[in-house]
């Protein structure tokens, strides 16, 4: 098969893929997961500041 066979369908497939991703991103069910992912870099800073506070020592 060549581009002559599949060529006309490529823009249609790309448009359908774009619309599907757009709907998936904007679906309200996914908001919490995306918000959690957006805050991951800030959660890491909190964990690092806690680790630096005890200087790596464990209380006995």
């Amino acid at each position: 098969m060549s581009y002559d066979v599949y060529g006309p369908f490529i823009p249609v497939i790309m448009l359908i893929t774009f619309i599907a991703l757009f709907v998936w991103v904007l679906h309200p069910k996914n908001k919490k997961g995306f918000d959690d992912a957006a805050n991951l870099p800030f959660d890491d800073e909190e964990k690092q500041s806690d680790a630096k506070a005890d200087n790596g020592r464990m209380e006995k």
Side-chain angles (χ1 to χ4, degrees):
M1 299 286 192
S2 66
Y3 181 77
D4 295 333
V5 176
Y6 294 116
F9 299 108
I10 291 174
V12 175
I13 292 169
M14 291 174 65
L15 179 65
I16 291 170
T17 303
F18 176 77
I19 291 171
L21 286 171
F22 192 76
V23 168
W24 176 66
V25 166
L26 293 180
H27 197 275
K29 179 181 79 171
N30 297 324
K31 181 172 178 25
K32 185 181 183 316
F34 289 135
D35 288 342
D36 290 344
N39 288 323
L40 279 176
F42 303 115
D43 291 342
D44 190 39
E45 288 177 3
E46 291 173 5
K47 290 178 185 174
Q48 286 179 357
S49 65
D50 292 342
K52 289 179 184 176
D54 66 1
N55 294 326
R57 298 180 192 159
M58 301 285 292
E59 290 185 31
K60 293 183 180 179

